Amino acid sequence: MCPTGAVRFRVLWGDPNKGMSQVIVEAHDTDEALIVAHQLRPELPRPRTAFLVNEF
């Protein structure tokens, strides 16, 4: 995705109606972001949603 280096992703778990958790990670692509987030929060199920964080 980004040949110059890692970028930030917001990874989300949960249901908006029941509560959500999130973490910001640095990764080279979405797949790596999901893996890193799971390693940071192993008590939660594997995340399936990651969004690129746009910094201004």
Side-chain angles (χ1 to χ4, degrees), residues 3-36:
T4 59
V7 292
R8 288 186 171 185
F9 289 89
R10 180 183 311 268
V11 180
L12 304 173
W13 291 266
D15 180 333
N17 296 320
K18 297 179 182 177
M20 297 187 69
S21 293
Q22 67 177 335
V23 66
I24 303 291
V25 299
E26 291 195 10
H28 291 93
D29 59 34
T30 305
D31 292 332
E32 182 183 4
L34 295 172
I35 291 167
V36 171

